[in-house]
Amino acid sequence: MSGESTPTFTGPPAAPKTGWPGKTAAVFTAVEQSLQERLESAEEEVAKLRQNLVVAKAASDAEAGQLRYELALARAAAIQAEEEAAMAKTRAEEEYNMLMEDHLNNERIIRELKAQL
């Protein structure tokens, strides 16, 4: 191993003198331009996707807010319905009690009238 030298990179091999250096540079430039265009297109697509994400999140937040509002309304309506049902039950019980009291009074009056006969 001693005496062997480590190879060093001295650049690409010399191109043949058939016009290749110009063609290589043109190909490199075309590839670089194509890659640059693809990068710009991808960056534009990313920007559009980010904008769509922001819009979708805003729409989602708005829909969630609307659903929370509708849920609150439904809860309020349920509470109101329970209160109305309780009041209706109380009124029905009071009316039943009045009718039962009238019925008992009528029975008492009938007994008294029969006793007088």
Side-chain angles (χ1 to χ4, degrees):
M1 290 235 174
S2 66
E4 290 182 26
S5 63
T6 305
T8 57
F9 181 71
T10 58
K17 300 204 185 242
T18 58
W20 275 99
K23 289 181 182 177
T24 303
V27 168
F28 176 76
T29 302
V31 168
E32 183 180 35
Q33 182 178 359
S34 173
L35 290 174
Q36 183 64 34
E37 289 171 359
R38 289 173 60 192
L39 175 63
E40 290 170 2
S41 175
E43 287 173 343
E44 289 173 4
E45 186 66 24
V46 166
K48 287 178 187 175
L49 290 172
R50 283 187 176 144
Q51 184 178 8
N52 289 345
L53 179 61
V54 168
V55 170
K57 175 146 180 18
S60 175
D61 290 348
E63 186 174 348
Q66 180 66 28
L67 290 173
R68 282 191 296 274
Y69 172 74
E70 290 175 7
L71 179 60
L73 287 179
R75 285 180 177 158
I79 290 169
Q80 183 177 358
E82 286 176 357
E83 290 172 351
E84 288 175 359
M87 289 181 352
K89 180 183 176 192
T90 301
R91 282 193 306 268
E93 288 172 346
E94 289 172 351
E95 190 171 328
Y96 172 81
N97 289 338
M98 286 182 356
L99 289 172
M100 188 54 79
E101 187 178 326
D102 286 347
H103 173 71
L104 293 175
N105 282 337
N106 288 341
E107 284 184 346
R108 182 184 52 80
I109 292 171
I110 290 172
R111 279 193 310 272
E112 288 175 359
L113 288 174
K114 281 184 181 179
Q116 289 176 4
L117 293 177

